[in-house]
Amino acid sequence: MDSVKHGAEVVVDLTKMHYHMINDRLSRYDPAVLVLAVFGGTLVYTKVVHLYRKSEDPILKRLGNYVFSLLRKIPSVRDKIEKELSAEKPKLIESIHKDDKDRQFISTLPISPLSQESILELAEKYENYNTFNIQGGRVSGAVYTNRHAEHVNLLGKIYERYAFSNPLHPDVFPGARKMEAELIRMVLNLYNGPEDSSGSVTSGGTESIIMACFSYRNRAYSMGIENPVILAPKTAHAAFDKAAHLCGMRLRHVPVDEENRVDLKEMERLIDSNVCVLVGSAPNFPSGTVDPIPEIAKLGEKYSIPVHVDACLGGFMIPFMNDAGYLLPIFDFRNPGVTSISCDTHKYGCTPKGSSIVMYRSKELHHFQYFSCPDWCGGIYATPTIAGSRAGANTAVAWATLLSFGRDEYVRRCAQIVKHTRMLAEKIQKIKWVKPYGSSDVSLVAFSGNGINIYEVSDRMMKLGWNLNTLQNPAAIHICLTINQANEEVVNAFVSDLQKTCEDVAAAGNQKPDHGMAAMYGMAAQVPKSVVDEVIALYIDATYSAPPVEKK
């Protein structure tokens, strides 16, 4: 006891000594200066903490962006950037409208109604703007079915009956409500959802991902986590970035290995008390690689953190791959640590655009997604997703598609697509000018350049009628095979055109590109993100613009 007492006295004496030293030094300054110094220090500290919590980007990168934002306020710098952006605007508008042959634009409501014949004629004219052969397999992804007449005819009849239905009013549209419930349960059963599992129909994969992140944010808040973090592979879909932005969360990216699978050791190392959800892709969008879902699920169990599986792209492929003869590790609710899954019906489910399913292991988790305003003067307002009113017709045609295809047809299509995906991947490996990027686990074949500019390859392939997906960090392109590419004729045509294009690009040498994707991605790598954002904004603006008047 004496030693403890002596130790305490020493601490008190040292504290007093330092107090008097500090007080003596500070007494030399005017009190007003000290108050201002404390106030200013507090502001700086608050700003630094805010910047740190705002993003998971490296401090130097954020500091660089902040400095550039200050430089942009200098008139000469601002004027130069605005001049460059102004020069880009007409180019972007022209590129958007290049297929608009007549350059006419309806901008006002007609005084008198147009006839049905003239409306249909106009719609057909717009449809004919398309120059890519979708049915012939020249478009990567985008349209995931072959749009056969019997299916399209069924969709038309279903849409006619449910065009004006709205599941927001289950008492008025009980049939639409039942279709929605059945659609969700069919997909839950594909993913081995337990008895208490639940889910919602959304407008697409992005909304499904946002809803899952929104749920985990709300769960985190209920647990006292003030700054929730999403922990996801760097290959995870950009919808997670969007979810983090909209939900006021941070997204922490995890490195991946040479096959683009998440590095599990790094994922575990990056876990802290703010992480509210772990993410795995099955497969990811850039390279089609499936993350090690069972191992991620075990991490979730170990640290009591929910695990979300993003199966938006492969949602109607991976449940059928085992039956099709292609084994995959367990990716669904059979992993006890998996707590939610996003699955797009409007991709390989072959439904019309505008439907996806977000699933939860339990109704308790699902409830964190719901929104209600019980004391609104307009009555009790409650919705399960972002939307209030929902298009019952979208759910109806998705429901009808699943029933009309059946499990056997999905297994048949899956087998055909995976077979030709692997065939294409094997053939591309023999082209010396490209190298595989990631692993073609499901339906994607990605590749980067081997001594050539891969974006220039993409631009030239587009001129040959191939619409491919460009990737970055690293530079690569991919083709997403659908039923339209799942035949040897398309595979061989693609390989032949790719081989010839690579040889042409190699023969041209390292010329600096001044057009197309090659120029755009080259620019994006060299200028600050805020400028890239402005160019992107100009591009999106151009998609809503009237066509420019053609010069005579």
Side-chain angles (χ1 to χ4, degrees):
M1 288 296 291
D2 289 340
S3 61
V4 172
K5 182 178 180 182
H6 175 69
E9 289 174 349
V10 170
V11 170
V12 171
D13 289 341
L14 285 172
T15 303
K16 287 181 178 179
M17 180 181 72
H18 284 94
Y19 169 78
H20 290 303
M21 286 175 59
I22 294 170
N23 192 52
D24 181 59
R25 292 192 177 187
L26 292 179
S27 65
R28 304 170 191 173
Y29 298 95
D30 189 295
V33 173
L34 294 177
V35 171
L36 288 173
V38 171
F39 181 70
T42 303
L43 284 178
V44 170
Y45 172 78
T46 304
K47 184 70 173 177
V48 169
V49 170
H50 174 72
L51 286 173
Y52 171 74
R53 291 177 175 172
K54 186 177 180 181
S55 169
E56 287 287 322
D57 286 341
I59 293 292
L60 286 178
K61 181 178 179 181
R62 282 183 272 168
L63 185 60
N65 289 335
Y66 178 67
V67 170
F68 181 74
S69 70
L70 296 178
L71 289 174
R72 285 202 61 172
K73 295 178 181 179
I74 300 173
S76 59
V77 176
R78 183 185 64 238
D79 292 345
K80 182 173 177 56
I81 292 173
E82 289 180 356
K83 182 179 179 181
E84 294 291 334
L85 291 175
S86 296
E88 286 300 313
K89 185 175 179 178
K91 296 177 186 176
L92 291 170
I93 292 175
E94 184 57 44
S95 70
I96 286 293
H97 293 282
K98 65 181 184 302
D99 298 315
D100 188 342
K101 306 297 189 300
D102 51 41
R103 300 291 171 117
Q104 296 176 353
F105 191 77
I106 301 171
S107 59
T108 57
L109 192 66
I111 301 299
S112 301
L114 301 183
S115 66
Q116 289 192 12
E117 291 77 12
S118 60
I119 294 170
L120 290 171
E121 183 182 335
L122 193 59
E124 184 177 1
K125 182 196 291 186
Y126 288 5
E127 172 67 15
N128 290 334
Y129 286 170
N130 176 43
T131 58
F132 291 103
N133 185 359
I134 297 172
Q135 209 80 353
R138 263 49 180 181
V139 175
S140 171
V143 178
Y144 290 79
T145 187
N146 49 5
R147 300 183 289 187
H148 59 85
E150 186 178 347
H151 181 209
V152 173
N153 184 47
L154 171 65
L155 297 181
K157 290 178 179 177
I158 295 291
Y159 194 89
E160 183 179 348
R161 287 167 171 77
Y162 288 89
F164 300 101
S165 63
N166 181 0
L168 181 66
H169 305 288
D171 52 342
V172 181
F173 304 104
R177 180 214 58 78
K178 186 175 182 179
M179 285 176 168
E180 186 172 53
E182 289 180 348
L183 175 62
I184 293 166
R185 187 51 55 183
M186 281 190 279
V187 179
L188 276 165
N189 284 333
L190 279 180
Y191 282 83
N192 294 287
E195 186 178 351
D196 192 43
S197 60
S198 188
S200 295
V201 177
T202 70
S203 60
T206 293
E207 188 184 354
S208 287
I209 287 169
I210 291 171
M211 288 290 88
C213 293
F214 178 70
S215 297
Y216 293 127
R217 186 207 69 174
N218 291 343
R219 178 179 180 272
Y221 283 172
S222 74
M223 298 170 65
I225 300 173
E226 295 181 356
N227 299 289
V229 171
I230 303 164
L231 190 58
K234 75 171 191 175
T235 51
H237 198 280
F240 288 98
D241 293 78
K242 191 172 188 178
H245 174 72
L246 292 174
C247 297
M249 305 168 77
R250 287 185 293 167
L251 175 60
R252 184 175 299 160
H253 279 133
V254 184
V256 294
D257 64 19
E258 65 279 358
E259 288 193 325
N260 265 6
R261 292 185 219 284
V262 69
D263 185 324
L264 290 165
K265 288 183 179 179
E266 279 296 294
M267 176 170 267
E268 184 167 17
R269 185 183 69 80
L270 291 169
I271 290 173
D272 63 23
S273 59
N274 287 319
V275 173
C276 68
V277 59
L278 306 179
V279 175
S281 304
N284 66 46
F285 175 81
S287 65
T289 303
V290 176
D291 283 319
I293 303 302
E295 290 75 13
I296 297 173
K298 288 176 182 176
L299 277 181
E301 286 188 279
K302 180 178 178 180
Y303 292 96
S304 299
I305 299 172
V307 172
H308 180 80
V309 176
D310 174 25
C312 287
L313 176 59
F316 266 71
M317 290 287 289
I318 56 175
F320 308 110
M321 283 185 67
N322 285 0
D323 287 351
Y326 300 96
L327 300 183
L328 276 181
I330 295 174
F331 52 81
D332 56 20
F333 289 115
R334 287 172 292 177
N335 292 297
V338 170
T339 53
S340 61
I341 302 172
S342 49
C343 163
D344 283 4
T345 43
H346 69 195
K347 289 190 174 74
Y348 291 100
C350 301
T351 73
K353 288 298 180 185
S355 72
S356 174
I357 312 292
V358 57
M359 299 170 269
Y360 297 91
R361 175 173 289 278
S362 68
K363 291 182 176 65
E364 180 185 3
L365 277 175
H366 195 191
H367 291 172
F368 284 111
Q369 177 187 293
Y370 297 171
F371 174 83
S372 65
C373 185
D375 52 359
W376 178 42
C377 59
I380 296 174
Y381 177 84
T383 61
T385 59
I386 290 176
S389 291
R390 306 194 299 284
N394 279 7
T395 297
V397 292
W399 170 87
T401 297
L402 267 61
L403 295 179
S404 66
F405 273 45
R407 187 179 185 92
D408 287 349
E409 176 62 11
Y410 284 120
V411 171
R412 184 191 73 79
R413 289 183 174 227
C414 174
Q416 194 173 335
I417 292 168
V418 177
K419 172 187 173 182
H420 288 90
T421 297
R422 300 190 177 184
M423 179 191 298
L424 178 58
E426 185 178 337
K427 287 177 180 288
I428 285 178
Q429 287 182 13
K430 297 175 183 177
I431 300 175
K432 70 175 184 177
W433 299 110
V434 298
K435 50 189 177 182
Y437 174 55
S439 176
S440 298
D441 292 339
V442 185
S443 59
L444 275 170
V445 181
F447 47 93
S448 56
N450 187 21
I452 58 174
N453 186 329
I454 200 66
Y455 295 140
E456 182 66 20
V457 172
S458 177
D459 286 339
R460 294 191 182 211
M461 288 289 283
M462 182 173 287
K463 291 177 181 177
L464 295 176
W466 297 97
N467 185 280
L468 307 176
N469 297 92
T470 47
L471 315 172
Q472 61 180 340
N473 304 319
I477 54 179
H478 82 218
I479 179 169
C480 177
L481 277 77
T482 69
I483 197 67
N484 299 311
Q485 287 91 12
N487 62 77
E488 286 193 47
E489 182 183 349
V490 174
V491 168
N492 291 335
F494 182 82
V495 172
S496 176
D497 283 350
L498 180 62
Q499 173 78 48
K500 177 68 166 58
T501 299
C502 288
E503 290 172 356
D504 290 345
V505 172
N510 294 320
Q511 298 175 359
K512 186 176 180 181
D514 60 356
H515 63 281
M517 289 295 176
M520 186 180 77
Y521 279 97
M523 176 273 296
Q526 297 176 38
V527 302
K529 180 181 178 296
S530 61
V531 176
V532 178
D533 286 341
E534 289 189 55
V535 175
I536 292 170
L538 287 176
Y539 178 84
I540 296 174
D541 286 345
T543 65
Y544 296 119
S545 68
V549 178
E550 285 189 300
K551 296 179 181 179
K552 296 182 180 180

